Amino acid sequence: MNLILLGPPNAGKGTQAKNLFRDYQIPQISTGDILRKAVKDGTELGKIAGPLMAAGAYVPDDIVIGIVEERLKQPDCANGFVLDGFPRTIPQADALERMLAKNGKKIDAVVSLEVPHSKLIERGSGRRSCPVDGSVYHVYQNPPKRAGYCDKCGAGLVQREDDHPEVIEKRLQKYDAETSPLKDYYAKKGLLKSIDGVGTTDGIYAELRGAIGKA
């Protein structure tokens, strides 16, 4: 089963992709996670991507497409995958279709998580992470026991550069302009299913499972 999860930043795509992996054993391919790791590790890719991501800008298509193509060649993708954060534009979607066709594969379903902008900014700007062990908290929904510090190791929590409200707003504007057209693109192919991305994690996942079942 080859899936794409569409939705703006902080729509919950990563959380639901992890649920899909738990139940179907198909890996989540998050270009955002791959790029953030590259930035943290100080790789050549990270040096290019870091300033762009901090400014709320997209990384160039050729770099992202190359990352995805290499990832899809790995053995754990043989039985399926969940793309999270890619494609972002119609040219990327076209490139993905060509890439998959070359390897005898296709996308089975595209699920769009619909969430209002105000909720997206609240979700993102409240997120805090531990720079030591990677634990993630939220100042409203999942606060640490001691404000500002990791429950597991006691390290001071940090806010990612791309989680500042002004950066989130820029990313949302860019999403609306460049990524939202993908909904029409995949609807015309008969692949798009839209679900409400507001509610409990389990409730949203039940809707997602239902959408996949219909596909």
Side-chain angles (χ1 to χ4, degrees), residues 6-209:
L6 280 182
N10 307 310
K13 300 185 298 297
T15 298
Q16 298 305 336
K18 288 178 175 61
N19 287 336
L20 289 168
F21 178 76
R22 179 193 66 207
D23 290 346
Y24 296 100
Q25 295 302 298
I26 52 176
Q28 170 197 13
I29 300 174
S30 166
T31 51
D33 287 349
I34 293 170
L35 290 168
R36 278 189 286 272
K37 185 176 188 304
V39 172
K40 183 179 178 182
D41 293 345
T43 66
E44 288 304 311
L45 170 62
K47 291 173 185 175
I48 297 170
L52 294 169
M53 293 168 68
Y58 285 160
V59 176
D61 280 4
D62 56 341
I63 294 176
V64 180
I65 289 166
I67 288 170
V68 173
E69 186 162 19
E70 284 302 309
R71 181 66 182 87
L72 291 180
K73 290 177 182 177
Q74 296 181 23
D76 63 334
C77 294
N79 294 321
F81 52 80
V82 181
L83 285 172
D84 163 15
F86 179 88
R88 290 185 185 273
T89 63
I90 288 175
Q92 285 185 359
D94 287 336
L96 174 65
E97 190 169 16
R98 290 192 297 270
M99 185 197 311
L100 293 175
K102 186 171 64 178
N103 294 289
K105 296 182 178 181
K106 63 181 179 62
I107 295 298
D108 296 308
V110 179
V111 181
S112 177
L113 291 151
E114 304 293 331
V115 185
H117 277 206
S118 58
K119 178 64 72 173
L120 295 167
I121 293 172
E122 176 189 302
R123 285 179 181 177
S125 61
R127 186 162 46 215
R128 301 292 184 272
S129 59
C130 175
V132 177
D133 62 27
S135 297
V136 179
Y137 301 88
H138 194 282
V139 294
Y140 306 115
Q141 298 163 4
N142 180 36
K145 293 173 183 174
R146 181 186 172 204
Y149 295 90
C150 179
D151 291 346
K152 296 178 182 176
C153 69
L157 300 177
V158 297
Q159 184 179 37
R160 287 186 342 206
E161 286 294 325
D162 52 351
D163 278 340
H164 290 286
E166 61 275 15
V167 175
I168 295 172
E169 185 58 48
K170 280 185 185 177
R171 293 173 70 203
L172 292 175
Q173 289 172 4
K174 206 165 187 63
Y175 179 87
D176 287 343
E178 298 182 9
T179 307
S180 283
L182 284 174
K183 289 193 282 188
D184 284 339
Y185 176 94
Y186 284 116
K188 287 174 182 174
K189 293 178 179 291
L191 295 173
L192 183 73
K193 307 291 179 184
S194 295
I195 64 172
D196 187 353
V198 178
T200 65
T201 299
D202 290 345
I204 296 167
Y205 184 54
E207 277 201 61
L208 175 57
R209 288 279 299 265

